Amino acid sequence: MAKYRFEPDFNEFLCVLNKGKPSRPVLFEFFMNPVIYEILAGYKQKENTEESRCEQMIDAFHAGGYDFATVHASDFSFPIAKREFQKTSSLNDGFVITDKKSFDEYRWPDPRDFDCSRLDKMGKYMPDGMKLMVAGPCGVLENTIALVGYENLCFLLLDEPELVEQVFTEVGERLYKYYQTAAAHDAVGLLMVNDDWGFNTQTFLSPKDMRRYIFPWHKKIVELAHQHNKPAILHSCGFADEIMDDIIDDIKFDGKHSYEDVIKPVEESYKLWGRRIGILGGIDVDFLIRSSTDVITKRSSQMLELAEENGSYALGSGNSIPEYIPYEHYKAMIDAALVKR
């Protein structure tokens, strides 16, 4: 499979996040899948190691026409019980904290105990002009739900709010330390704060509780990125209308990712918020699965045309490229940008 070859320039992506107009269409994707990585990179993963996987991903992002590649700073995560997992998983499965006793007994990991040399290695491996986008091992709310369980969390918010605050604090402090390492590294161009916040019609917690427990930690992480003159973007699925002012004006994220047509199509989101925050991706995953390649290219081209005058947009999927999106459908989307370069 022929590769797309171009000279990456991370400054073009920075222009989008600065709510400006890049000199060419910019692509954005959080992550794809092993099949597409192999097609774009042009080779199978060489070894069954995280380093080899990251190298293939960097080559794939480069070949696909991106100005960055997604990595994790280390293998840091919050251990939970075994979960039932197929194509999806329950928000009430795998939790390990149910009360103060189990909270006290939980062995909280320290991100500083994990090897972050991956950033050094991948920084040297990257082509000139590219930067690393460091994603988290999920975010403050997602990790708390994984540790406590969604239904249990809702009960604890009423019955034991002090315990809930303690859990959020333990999670938030560790994620902050994780991002501290990433923000200071020269190879890292931006921080991706990935934390799903809602259903299709409402946030997981009330906006009031989000502002009390969740947003302060995100604000600290964004401030950390900005202290290092690097942007921070939010990947968050779900309904966000009630909290978009918080995302933009209080937390001060530079970009927002994850859009679904059943919630609010990206075209509408761009018209509402594109002058206030970088709009990333948004071509709906279900649309990419079901539509013909011609229709996909047409919608992607129209979205680029919508943003042509004011910028502040990078083309990509509404969430990610799972393996059940055919490669030809993914290619039909990115071709809309590549033919304009």
Side-chain angles (χ1 to χ4, degrees), residues 261-278:
D261 287 351
V262 295
I263 300 175
K264 190 183 296 294
V266 66
E267 292 87 349
E268 187 176 341
S269 297
Y270 181 82
K271 291 173 184 177
L272 285 171
W273 299 304
R275 293 179 181 271
R276 300 172 60 197
I277 191 170

Side-chain angles (χ1 to χ4, degrees), residues 51-318:
E51 183 175 338
S52 179
R53 190 182 76 86
C54 287
E55 288 178 354
Q56 186 196 46
M57 278 178 47
I58 289 171
D59 287 339
F61 271 80
H62 179 207
Y66 299 85
D67 300 294
F68 67 93
T70 307
V71 298
H72 289 91
S74 71
D75 293 331
F76 166 72
S77 65
F78 295 90
I80 60 172
K82 186 177 180 179
R83 305 176 79 170
E84 287 288 332
F85 187 87
Q86 295 181 0
K87 294 300 182 183
T88 185
S89 60
S90 170
L91 294 179
N92 298 302
D93 191 19
F95 59 86
V96 292
I97 296 175
T98 57
D99 52 23
K100 186 65 166 66
K101 182 177 183 294
S102 53
F103 170 82
D104 291 336
E105 291 173 348
Y106 183 74
R107 298 184 65 178
W108 293 95
D110 189 331
R112 294 171 297 189
D113 293 337
F114 289 76
D115 180 13
C116 292
S117 62
R118 180 183 306 157
L119 296 179
D120 295 325
K121 296 172 184 176
M122 294 307 107
K124 293 175 183 176
Y125 186 83
M126 269 193 312
D128 291 340
M130 288 185 76
K131 289 286 188 179
L132 297 174
M133 177 175 78
V134 170
C138 296
V140 178
L141 181 55
E142 275 195 90
N143 278 298
T144 298
I145 289 174
L147 289 166
V148 176
Y150 179 64
E151 288 183 1
N152 292 337
L153 177 60
C154 293
F155 287 124
L156 288 172
L157 281 166
L158 295 174
D159 298 336
E160 298 187 63
E162 291 183 1
L163 176 59
V164 169
E165 188 149 20
Q166 285 181 297
V167 177
F168 278 122
T169 297
E170 295 292 342
V171 172
E173 285 180 346
R174 283 160 176 79
L175 287 173
Y176 183 83
K177 291 175 184 176
Y178 169 88
Y179 282 115
Q180 267 186 319
T181 300
H185 201 283
D186 289 341
V188 175
L190 76 154
L191 304 185
M192 155 72 86
V193 187
N194 41 307
D195 197 16
D196 289 348
W197 283 349
F199 301 107
N200 286 350
T201 56
Q202 66 183 60
T203 51
F204 287 148
L205 306 182
S206 70
K208 179 181 177 181
D209 283 337
M210 298 285 288
R211 292 174 185 124
R212 175 179 176 182
Y213 297 109
I214 313 299
F215 293 169
W217 288 108
H218 283 262
K219 189 172 182 177
K220 287 186 67 172
I221 293 168
V222 172
E223 288 172 349
L224 171 67
H226 291 170
Q227 288 166 10
H228 289 271
N229 296 313
K230 296 174 182 180
I233 63 178
L234 172 68
H235 166 92
S236 187
C237 300
F239 179 81
D241 285 26
E242 294 176 293
I243 56 172
M244 278 302 293
D245 287 344
D246 298 272
I247 290 169
I248 297 170
D249 299 326
D250 181 43
I251 306 174
K252 299 187 186 303
F253 275 111
D254 301 286
K256 165 75 167 61
H257 180 243
S258 195
Y259 301 90
E260 294 181 64
D261 287 351
V262 295
I263 300 175
K264 190 183 296 294
V266 66
E267 292 87 349
E268 187 176 341
S269 297
Y270 181 82
K271 291 173 184 177
L272 285 171
W273 299 304
R275 293 179 181 271
R276 300 172 60 197
I277 191 170
I279 304 295
L280 308 176
I283 305 301
D284 184 73
V285 169
D286 185 70
F287 171 84
L288 287 171
I289 296 168
R290 297 173 183 270
S291 303
S292 68
T293 55
D294 289 346
V295 171
I296 291 169
T297 300
K298 181 178 180 181
R299 180 179 180 184
S300 301
S301 298
Q302 289 174 336
M303 185 59 222
L304 288 172
E305 290 168 6
L306 176 64
E308 194 167 16
E309 182 177 350
N310 296 310
S312 192
Y313 177 70
L315 178 67
S317 75

